[in-house]
Amino acid sequence: MAEEIGYTLRLPAPETHAIEVEARFPTGGKSRIELVMAVWTPGSYLLREFSRQIEEVTAQTERGEPLRAEKTHKNRWQLETRGEQRVIARYRLYARELSVRTNFVDAGFALINGAATFLTLAREGGDGEGGEGEGGGRPHEVRLFPPAGWRTSVSSLRGVGEATVERAGETGQGAEDGSGEGEGGRCVTFRAASFDELVDSPIYCGNGRVHRFEVAGRTHFLVNEGEDGTIWDGARSASELERLVREHTAFWECVPYERYVFFNLITESIGGLEHRNSCVLMTSRWRGRNREGWLDWLGLASHELFHAWNGKRLRPAELGPFDYERETYTRSLWQVEGITAYYDDLLVRRAGLSTRGEYLKQLSKQIETLQTSPGRLVQSLAAASFDTWIKYYRRDENFVNAGISYYVKGALVAFLLDAALRRATAGNRSLDDLLRLAYHRFSGPAGYHQQDFRAAASELAGIDLGPFFHATLETTAELDYAPALGWFGLRFADSDDRHKKSEDATAYLGIEAEIQPGRLHVTQVRRDTPAFRAGLNVGDEILAIGGYRIPPEGLRDRLKCYRPGESTTLLVARRERLLELPFTFGESPRPRCRLELDPAATPEQRAQLAAWLRSE
């Protein structure tokens, strides 16, 4: 086995948001070695340029003698070795970006993400030490010295040494579960079998509350940073998360990890990122105080947990081994993210944590999001996946007109595929069965190709699903919901329940606007709307309609005074120049998307709906 790389991390003054890193590298007898830092992190498809947070890299021998360190690229450094067998590099990281993929350190806690933290040895003619899978490659060791008073350090990586862990009031040995205490100069040590595993295993330290539960013989941790005992109900979050984990393991009929960690950072931020044996969630403490917010949190946790199977182990061939310095292109993110986005809320429902009505409301929202996005007629689902590096994570005001979310449309295609499999097999097979079949056949180092997944789907259905995949993935044709709704006995609610009569309808512009500051500015203009046709631009300041001034906060109320089809003028300021635009109001094109049980549904349709949702 290759000699390990060792890191020592210190947070001497966490209020300054600094991580001090000392890294010990074997040289292999070379006169120079090259170090590299990842520019992106798996699961978040954008070049993040993590090296911008590094202060100067210095090098020395193990005896403390200085060595030359030269930066040769935006994320590469060359170190001379003078024939030493091992050399030491030191650098300092600025860590104050509170997101699921970056580093954050303050006086209260630290979240350390591998891609944003660790320099590693560059491979000859390629990227860093990754690409060998979790079981292979060079081992890496991380020694962490938490600040005094921080009692808890947690990672899905295995811990070594004499660490103790605070587990919801219980104290025990932490060496085997990757949770530990390091106070007053004590050290907590973690080990990774490869750089891939290191990058995929965030580390938390602070004083968060740790809840532990067992499912299918595997240990799970919920780390609640920000649980204060009053607003966020820690016991409830752990109890319902345990029910959700049981539903996931029953769905897949296997558990692929030895331990799993939910890092739940209650920081008034939003986001989630999956890892092989853990996930990072960010949420608001107030989500626990309203039903919709709580279901959103459960759905987020469900989404990231589902990735432990779909995405991390059952994955398209393009998504690994990774090149951490270059984009990894794939047209299959609808499978990784879209299918996962379909099952996240569905498994919350099946676990009995939401009602049938609540789930149908969430599915309706996805349909409405897609059907009100002009970009659905411009960008195909496969193209949305391929272009994620330059579009989805770099959305501007025109994205709604030219692009789609592969999460949203991917989830809806998964819904239609699920129904198609059930219809083709008289209810005997479903997308559940297809995923389990695919996991059995394709999970592992090699991954699968699009044709593999499509062939397995057709095999299970007993019919050729090629035309279905072509239409939904490779064209911009409208999705046909009717067959799926017919199978489950659902319908879109009558328009009388959704809209006023046309003569009472409010005038429609087709824009989004914000007050910035004290002025009402256009932030989005949707294609083929009255605003688009009138030539309204993003950035225009709206001043008046029909010669009468509009206060910045008064646009919505003023629109109630007009009706679709009325013509007037719109006064705007564009780069401080006043323009009067002729304008004709339209009617909101919002479609009927609210799903409900069809009163005429047959007993057979109702049974099929119950089998899908496991509902009353």
Side-chain angles (χ1 to χ4, degrees):
M1 180 182 290
E3 185 177 348
E4 76 175 17
I5 296 173
Y7 304 92
T8 300
L9 306 182
R10 291 182 172 87
L11 314 174
E15 67 277 7
T16 66
H17 320 295
I19 304 173
E20 294 184 355
V21 183
E22 178 181 292
R24 189 179 305 266
F25 297 100
T27 67
K30 298 176 183 176
S31 60
R32 293 181 182 83
I33 60 172
E34 190 166 26
L35 308 182
V36 62
M37 185 174 227
V39 301
W40 68 286
T41 191
S44 183
Y45 306 102
L46 180 67
L47 300 186
R48 302 283 175 181
E49 313 296 9
F50 297 121
S51 59
R52 63 193 171 87
Q53 302 296 3
I54 288 185
E55 297 182 14
E56 183 182 13
V57 175
T58 63
Q60 64 181 50
T61 68
E62 291 183 295
R63 298 182 298 279
E65 300 163 341
L67 296 171
R68 178 180 172 83
E70 180 182 7
K71 191 171 186 178
T72 58
H73 196 59
K74 65 180 181 180
N75 65 321
R76 284 183 174 241
W77 288 260
Q78 192 174 87
L79 275 56
E80 68 174 6
T81 70
R82 296 184 192 167
E84 296 287 328
Q85 292 302 304
R86 283 168 293 280
V87 298
I88 296 171
R90 286 194 172 97
Y91 54 98
R92 181 183 176 98
L93 290 163
Y94 182 68
R96 194 182 171 275
E97 187 176 350
L98 188 56
S99 81
V100 296
R101 59 196 164 264
T102 49
N103 291 328
F104 182 83
V105 178
D106 72 359
F109 75 96
L111 174 68
I112 300 170
N113 275 296
T117 301
F118 300 111
L119 291 175
T120 191
L121 287 171
R123 291 186 302 175
E124 303 227 351
D127 60 330
E129 287 283 341
E132 313 230 16
E134 187 172 301
R138 186 187 300 274
H140 293 65
E141 180 181 87
V142 180
R143 300 170 69 241
L144 172 65
F145 287 86
W150 289 18
R151 299 183 303 274
T152 305
S153 299
V154 186
S155 176
S156 60
L157 294 170
R158 286 191 176 275
V160 296
E162 296 181 357
T164 58
V165 58
E166 183 179 78
R167 299 172 181 159
E170 173 192 5
T171 301
Q173 290 301 312
E176 288 303 311
D177 54 38
S179 307
E181 177 180 359
E183 185 173 353
R186 294 184 62 186
C187 173
V188 180
T189 303
F190 301 104
R191 292 184 62 84
S194 67
F195 186 69
D196 286 327
E197 186 182 12
L198 182 68
V199 164
D200 212 18
S201 306
I203 300 170
Y204 163 89
C205 57
N207 290 307
R209 187 67 182 269
V210 181
H211 302 265
R212 174 180 175 173
F213 56 89
E214 305 287 328
V215 174
R218 305 295 198 275
T219 301
H220 298 74
F221 293 98
L222 169 61
V223 182
N224 280 336
E225 167 57 44
E227 177 188 331
D228 57 9
T230 57
I231 299 176
W232 184 271
D233 190 336
R236 178 191 177 193
S237 61
S239 174
E240 296 198 4
L241 202 56
E242 180 178 350
R243 288 175 62 182
L244 192 55
V245 172
R246 292 187 185 281
E247 189 63 37
H248 280 252
T249 57
F251 175 94
W252 288 100
E253 300 177 349
C254 67
V255 184
Y257 47 77
E258 291 300 317
R259 69 188 59 75
Y260 193 90
V261 183
F262 295 89
F263 297 98
N264 186 41
L265 308 184
I266 310 166
T267 56
E268 304 311 307
S269 300
I270 295 175
L273 186 63
E274 73 275 10
H275 297 281
R276 190 172 176 87
N277 300 313
S278 63
C279 65
V280 180
L281 314 173
M282 287 189 175
T283 190
S284 166
R285 57 182 46 83
W286 302 105
R287 280 189 167 186
R289 286 302 183 102
N290 70 84
R291 181 63 177 169
E292 184 176 354
W294 188 254
L295 289 178
D296 284 345
W297 180 76
L298 287 173
L300 175 64
S302 180
H303 183 99
E304 306 307 344
L305 175 62
F306 200 81
H307 276 311
W309 292 267
N310 186 43
K312 285 300 178 181
R313 291 167 173 88
L314 173 62
R315 60 168 179 78
E318 303 92 343
L319 296 185
F322 290 116
D323 181 339
Y324 295 100
E325 291 192 277
R326 296 170 186 84
E327 298 93 333
T328 299
Y329 297 103
T330 177
R331 290 180 169 82
S332 300
L333 287 180
W334 82 272
Q335 291 155 277
V336 175
E337 296 294 355
I339 289 178
T340 301
Y342 169 61
Y343 276 105
D344 50 22
D345 291 328
L346 182 56
L347 292 184
V348 171
R349 164 56 234 146
R350 290 181 180 177
L353 297 171
S354 67
T355 66
R356 182 182 73 190
E358 286 171 330
Y359 173 70
L360 292 180
K361 181 179 179 181
Q362 289 163 323
L363 183 58
S364 300
K365 281 171 145 182
Q366 291 180 311
I367 296 174
E368 184 168 307
T369 297
L370 179 66
Q371 296 306 131
T372 56
S373 299
R376 76 187 188 282
L377 303 176
V378 177
Q379 187 181 51
S380 72
L381 189 50
S385 173
F386 194 84
D387 283 342
T388 185
W389 295 93
I390 58 173
K391 290 192 175 183
Y392 186 73
Y393 287 96
R394 290 180 174 174
R395 279 175 283 183
D396 59 18
E397 69 274 4
N398 193 51
F399 181 83
V400 70
N401 294 321
I404 57 166
S405 165
Y406 48 79
Y407 287 83
V408 173
K409 187 171 182 180
L412 296 176
V413 169
F415 164 61
L416 300 183
L417 176 59
D418 193 1
L421 289 167
R422 292 170 188 266
R423 287 169 41 240
T425 62
N428 291 314
R429 292 290 185 268
S430 68
L431 186 56
D432 304 11
D433 299 291
L434 175 58
L435 288 185
R436 286 190 287 263
L437 175 64
Y439 191 87
H440 174 73
R441 288 184 180 177
F442 308 130
S443 64
Y448 63 84
H449 297 278
Q450 285 191 57
Q451 60 267 29
D452 299 328
F453 189 86
R454 297 185 188 190
S458 295
E459 174 189 333
L460 198 67
I463 59 173
D464 181 15
L465 291 176
F468 170 89
F469 285 117
H470 174 73
T472 58
L473 305 183
E474 296 161 11
T475 79
T476 57
E478 294 279 25
L479 297 183
D480 183 5
Y481 302 101
L485 301 188
W487 176 261
F488 293 121
L490 299 173
R491 70 172 188 177
F492 290 119
D494 290 338
S495 58
D496 289 344
D497 296 333
R498 293 277 291 171
H499 302 289
K500 299 177 182 179
K501 294 180 181 179
S502 59
E503 60 266 23
D504 296 327
T506 299
Y508 174 69
L509 290 175
I511 66 168
E512 298 289 338
E514 294 179 359
I515 299 175
Q516 310 170 340
R519 298 182 177 188
L520 184 62
H521 286 276
V522 177
T523 57
Q524 182 186 95
V525 179
R526 293 191 171 228
R527 182 171 290 159
D528 296 327
T529 62
F532 185 86
R533 289 188 287 270
L536 200 62
N537 288 184
V538 168
D540 286 353
E541 179 189 357
I542 298 177
L543 299 173
I545 294 179
Y548 291 91
R549 185 171 180 83
I550 300 175
E553 68 281 358
L555 179 61
R556 180 173 296 181
D557 287 339
R558 185 66 56 84
L559 290 178
K560 294 177 182 178
C561 302
Y562 292 89
R563 295 290 174 264
E566 283 192 62
S567 296
T568 184
T569 58
L570 193 65
L571 182 64
V572 301
R574 181 177 299 165
R575 296 186 292 275
E576 302 303 324
R577 181 182 179 184
L578 297 181
L579 299 173
E580 192 170 61
L581 305 175
F583 200 92
T584 300
F585 291 107
E587 185 172 355
S588 174
R590 194 167 293 275
R592 294 184 298 118
C593 295
R594 182 167 64 86
L595 293 172
E596 64 179 11
L597 179 65
D598 189 337
T602 65
E604 183 181 25
Q605 288 173 312
R606 291 171 184 264
Q608 288 159 183
L609 178 66
W612 173 45
L613 299 181
R614 297 185 195 163
S615 59
E616 64 280 359

